[in-house]
Amino acid sequence: MSKKLAVIGAGLMGSGIAQVAAAAGYDVAIRDVTDAALKRGVDGIRASLEKFASKGRYTPEEVQAALGRITTTTDLAEAVADADVIVEAAFENVDVKQDIFRELDKLAKPGAVLATNTSAIPITQIAAVTSRPQDVVGTHFFSPVPMMQLCELVRGYKTSDQTLARARAFAEEVGKTCIVVNRDVAGFVTTRLIAALVVEAVKLYESGVATAEDIDLACKLGFGHAMGPLATTDLTGVDILRNATQNIYTETQDEKFSPPELLNRMVTAGDLGRKSGKGFYSY
């Protein structure tokens, strides 16, 4: 029996999750609001799989088979109708996610795992708009999904043990190693750690204590980090990290998560990191 996954959102995260699932043998339906977004997502998946094939990770036949397991649609009902697992990877905004989960509650088959790829929003807030909060769970994948090994599984207040176990099985089947967050505090484990580090790094940089290069070098050579916090912010998106720290600050009122002025000004000015060509570094 083939395993069926629906992914809501064809952006960087959604297409990455779809890619690793299709490569692992899942039949994947990707849903987004426009055909253009779906085409971009699938083109990205094809390019990524072909790059892996050129390095010997997959045979050309495996690439074609994985692509053959992916379908796309702008119709949410069609995407989720017979899915065993549904992963929402839409914009990181609680209203957007709640709207999607209200629909999933009506459209998904009974017992389907309703997962959200949020990096900071409490799962309980998202689950609360459904009549089946026991089926809602956080599956926080990391970008770029095909390369990053971690999946942060997050329990909402009412998430059942069975839902958590099924989410773990799915994440492990697509090649990830999981950590479990038992209490869905804002930011979970990983986003809180990186947010605290990024906020402090930005403050050191903005007050002229050290250059961006030297702050990142300190973390790489002093702490063994693969990438420094400011380069990580550029890669993830200055706006994404600013929003994540803002979400945690709003929820906790803990000053260490308050976004520094520079972060807000960079977002306003459009210096969003690699995707805009300039952030803490120029690209």
Side-chain angles (χ1 to χ4, degrees):
M1 192 185 98
S2 70
K3 297 165 292 191
K4 296 192 187 305
L5 171 74
V7 179
I8 314 305
L12 201 58
M13 295 305 294
S15 59
I17 295 163
Q19 176 181 324
V20 295
Y26 275 79
D27 288 331
V28 182
I30 309 175
R31 187 267 183 176
D32 211 312
V33 284
T34 67
D35 288 322
L38 289 165
K39 183 182 183 308
R40 270 197 308 277
V42 173
D43 287 349
I45 292 170
R46 183 179 292 109
S48 176
L49 287 170
E50 285 170 354
K51 193 172 174 184
F52 279 122
S54 73
K55 295 177 179 171
R57 270 271 300 271
Y58 301 119
T59 64
E61 293 73 27
E62 285 169 332
V63 169
Q64 285 316 308
L67 289 169
R69 285 191 281 270
I70 296 172
T71 56
T72 61
T73 180
T74 54
D75 182 347
L76 188 62
E78 184 189 333
V80 306
D82 56 354
D84 307 301
V85 178
I86 301 166
V87 180
E88 167 275 315
F91 186 66
E92 188 71 353
N93 171 293
V94 71
D95 298 325
V96 171
K97 292 183 185 298
Q98 285 179 335
D99 285 346
I100 291 168
F101 274 77
R102 280 189 192 94
E103 292 300 308
L104 294 180
D105 190 25
K106 293 179 212 148
L107 300 170
K109 68 182 185 185
V113 172
L114 307 183
T116 172
N117 181 57
T118 179
S119 60
I121 299 166
I123 306 309
T124 306
Q125 284 185 23
I126 296 170
V129 302
T130 74
S131 63
R132 35 171 144 177
Q134 70 280 2
D135 297 338
V136 180
V137 62
T139 51
H140 176 209
F141 290 86
F142 290 76
S143 184
V145 179
M147 308 289 291
M148 299 291 273
Q149 285 300 296
L150 188 64
C151 179
E152 189 174 30
L153 297 176
V154 190
R155 231 185 227 285
Y157 188 65
K158 294 191 173 176
T159 305
S160 71
D161 291 346
Q162 187 195 6
T163 298
L164 193 76
R166 288 175 62 200
R168 179 188 279 273
F170 162 67
E172 289 175 350
E173 280 168 358
V174 303
K176 303 308 172 196
T177 301
C178 298
I179 67 164
V180 176
V181 179
N182 285 310
R183 226 162 39 83
D184 60 336
V185 295
F188 316 140
V189 170
T190 56
T191 306
R192 278 176 96 101
L193 288 170
I194 191 64
L197 183 60
V198 164
V199 166
E200 195 51 46
V202 174
K203 285 178 180 169
L204 289 168
Y205 171 67
E206 122 185 289
S207 58
V209 172
T211 62
E213 291 82 357
D214 281 358
I215 292 165
D216 280 351
L217 204 54
C219 291
K220 285 162 71 175
L221 303 185
F223 308 141
H225 293 183
M227 184 184 262
L230 300 176
T232 301
T233 302
D234 278 357
L235 178 64
T236 308
V238 176
D239 52 335
I240 305 282
L241 257 161
R242 192 280 306 265
N243 294 347
T245 57
Q246 184 64 58
N247 284 341
I248 301 170
Y249 177 63
T250 302
E251 195 74 19
T252 61
Q253 293 301 302
D254 184 333
E255 282 301 324
K256 75 169 168 283
F257 295 113
S258 176
E261 185 192 358
L262 178 64
L263 221 46
N264 290 323
R265 291 180 71 202
M266 287 172 73
V267 172
T268 305
D271 285 355
L272 305 180
R274 286 195 189 187
K275 61 187 171 189
S276 72
K278 180 150 177 48
F280 293 98
Y281 299 90
S282 294
Y283 299 92

